[in-house]
Amino acid sequence: MNLSDYYAITPLVFLVCWAIFLLLVDLWIPAGRKGITALLSAAGLLIALVLVLRSGEQVLTAFEGSVVVDGFSVFLSVLFLVSALAGIALAHDYLQRLGLERGEYYPLLLISTSGMMLMTYAYDLIEVFLALELLSIPLYILAGFSRLNLESEEASLKYFLLGAFSSGFVLYGVGLVFAATGYTDFPGIAKAAQNGSLNPTLFLIGAGLVLTGFGFKSALVPFHMWSPDVYQGAPSPVTAFMSVGAKAAGFAALLRVFVVVFPGMSVNLTPLLWALAALTMFVGNIVALVQSNIKRLLAYSSIAHSGYLLMAFVPYGNASVRSDAIAGMLFYLAAYCLTTFGAWAVVIALEKAEGKGLELEDYAGLGHRYPFLAATMTIFLLSFTGVPLTLGFWGKFYLFSTAVEGGFWQLALIGLLTSLISAYYYLRVVVIMYMRPGTPQVQRNFWPLLTSGVGALAVVILGIAPGVLLNLAVSALLKGL
Amino acid sequence: MLTEMAIFIFLALVVVASAMAMLLSRNAVYAALFLAMNFVTVALLYLILGAPFIALVQVTVYAGSIMVLFLFVIMMLGAERLPGGEPLRGQRVLAILLGCVLLVEMGLIFALRSGLLQIQMPAVVFSEPVDLGELLFTRYQLLFLVTSVILLAATVGAILLTRGDKVSLRDLLQRKE
């Protein structure tokens, strides 16, 4: 145990220290000028981003092998840091407008981000659990940030109770895996699994419980019940951050655990994953059809996207397809991140106090009065649908093609069908924006507009040249895993 | 081996039953006391696993201080008042009986300590405080630190969500009008 261990996780250490520093500094920043805290925390995130990118080509192991920093974790860390930056850009003006301005928002966001990063480094089940708590607890608090709003309080409490429940599942699963193998670190468990020196029943139940716990976090059907209420009740910037960050972190943990620890269990687990993916795609997309509130609509759409992401796991036991599938998943996550933040930026621009301005009807006439916002929203919705030449199309294309290569063409077919269904509710918003007369009211603020503009630009450019992003994802996987 | 198994099964049943009772009881004080029972029984499980230090920590920290805080808060909020008299009949007799058992146990411990009974105490094999501390500060150092950050975040959240500041009080009053 020495300093070189901490050197391997410099970005994480820096981020946590910066968050604690900000908690202190914030006390001297007068109310009404919390923009300074926002800027400082954004600066901290940028420095952490530089530190992550600087880490270079080599794979670092630290803390007796319980931390591994490889290309996979670097790719996802960048994704999380960018998400947090977007979360801050969307939040500042929103919090001020709704009278929620509290400096603690930003340090809590940073702590949650550090938990997500730790999740990608973790190579030990205890560490995975602690990272899960580190990322979740600030999110429970942030969901209830608008304290006097009953919906926000409900969201916070619901998220906390079900989150604690799902943490219990993960912990019990970890306990059973430990009971079956005698190890909690990934290499130890993998070795025990190869030797066959384990109790297969306990091991399988443990794996199932871990899957259930992370299924809650990533809102897979049938563990998705909390997510529409929480996404609707939480302040919109928090929802945006949560729907990208927490989901991606949940998938990151599942990926590490399944690929490194449970490859031998694929015979038992693949049908389960198959069913979960198919169910999630169907339920998410079909329930989204009848939503009239944009936040709920995006919540169900995010559930549906969990289903597409889970599709990448199904062929994980097949070594020849596995790396392609994971690269496809990383690509899809990046596409989902850009699109989601852009769409939420538009939602935030239209949202007014006390939950007004969130119905689909409020978007009527947006196309004529605010062509820029309507155009960006259209791009995001098309990308969500997976219309060709958007980023979302390539994401789905890679996922579906790896599913077919892995021999799961039925699943790809289900994905295709549900994408068709999803076109209805996504395009309905576009139709309302352009075809219906109305006078929408928009808060013109620089940062949300910038977020949606950058998001739209990225979705279009990367949609024309998806190879850049895919190469990044593939080269990330070449480093380790 | 067989007695160990029997003790384990008995304790496991008590753990599960007290957890269920905590969930099902309508009176908050009863629920808190069932939780205390659960904590103490889990401590006994640690003890038969050969981890006396962890068992004691469990008793002092969880069953001791945390439960006392729980009970304080429950009674301060007045949540313990439910209609009805003494629902458990004969609990006074039972209390005297159990008190006697406790006295006998204390006497036994005293006898053990002073070497009157000539019984071999089991040799402690692991989880001495020193070993535990060494593990926490070497192998599990990072996890130790991460736990502290988690607690910090939870503390910040508790203050944030409960602190009444002027702005929000004003909003509340406005809403009432």
Side-chain angles (χ1 to χ4, degrees), chain B residues 10-23 38 41-42 45:
Chain B
F10 173 72
L11 287 178
L13 285 178
V14 173
V15 167
V16 174
S18 59
M20 295 286 286
M22 189 215 110
L23 286 176
N38 182 282
T41 326
V42 170
L45 281 179

Side-chain angles (χ1 to χ4, degrees), chain B residues 144-165:
Chain B
F144 185 66
L145 292 174
V146 168
T147 314
S148 71
V149 180
I150 293 176
L151 289 177
L152 174 73
T155 317
V156 171
I159 295 170
L160 187 70
L161 292 180
T162 52
R163 189 180 63 187
D165 52 5

Side-chain angles (χ1 to χ4, degrees), chain A residues 203-254:
Chain A
F203 194 55
L204 192 62
I205 299 173
L209 285 172
V210 171
L211 176 65
T212 310
F214 284 108
F216 264 107
K217 281 287 156 213
S218 309
L220 301 175
V221 178
F223 317 116
H224 68 291
M225 297 301 182
W226 57 272
S227 84
D229 291 344
V230 172
Y231 282 16
Q232 188 186 7
S236 300
V238 179
T239 311
F241 179 65
M242 192 153 67
S243 66
V244 174
K247 195 177 291 271
F251 275 111
L254 272 184

Side-chain angles (χ1 to χ4, degrees), chain A residues 1 6 102 141 147-148, chain B residues 138 141 145 157 161 163 175:
Chain A
M1 191 61 45
Y6 288 98
R102 308 281 285 270
I141 301 161
R147 264 198 311 153
L148 297 176
Chain B
T138 53
Q141 187 182 39
L145 292 174
L161 292 180
R163 189 180 63 187
R175 189 166 293 187

Side-chain angles (χ1 to χ4, degrees), chain A residues 1 6 9 16 20 23 63-64 67 102 104 108 111 118 124 126-127 130 133-134 137-138 141 144-145 147-149 156 184-185 354, chain B residues 137-147 149-150 152-154 156-165 167-169 171-172 175:
Chain A
M1 191 61 45
Y6 288 98
I9 55 164
V16 170
I20 295 170
L23 270 178
F63 295 101
E64 304 187 15
V67 161
R102 308 281 285 270
E104 288 87 350
L108 286 173
I111 291 180
L118 182 66
D124 184 307
I126 303 176
E127 209 170 303
L130 282 179
E133 291 299 293
L134 188 60
I137 286 178
I141 301 161
F145 208 74
R147 264 198 311 153
L148 297 176
N149 180 349
S156 178
T184 58
D185 57 321
E354 304 197 350
Chain B
F137 285 103
T138 53
R139 183 167 161 65
Y140 296 112
Q141 187 182 39
L142 180 69
L143 303 183
F144 185 66
L145 292 174
V146 168
T147 314
V149 180
I150 293 176
L152 174 73
V156 171
I159 295 170
L160 187 70
L161 292 180
T162 52
R163 189 180 63 187
D165 52 5
V167 184
S168 60
L169 259 177
D171 287 356
L172 257 186
R175 189 166 293 187

Side-chain angles (χ1 to χ4, degrees), chain A residues 334-344 379-381 383-384 391-392 455 459:
Chain A
Y336 173 76
C337 165
L338 288 171
T339 322
T340 305
F341 274 111
W344 279 102
I379 292 172
F380 299 133
L381 292 171
S383 174
F384 271 141
L391 197 53
V459 167

Side-chain angles (χ1 to χ4, degrees), chain A residues 34-36 38 69 100 184 204 214 221 250 252-253 259 265 294 301-302 309 338-339 364 366 371 388 393 424 429-430:
Chain A
K34 297 296 184 193
I36 301 172
V69 184
L100 306 173
T184 58
L204 192 62
F214 284 108
V221 178
V259 171
M265 315 286 289
I294 187 84
S301 117
S302 125
L309 282 165
L338 288 171
T339 322
L366 196 69
F393 165 73
Y424 173 74
V429 181
V430 178

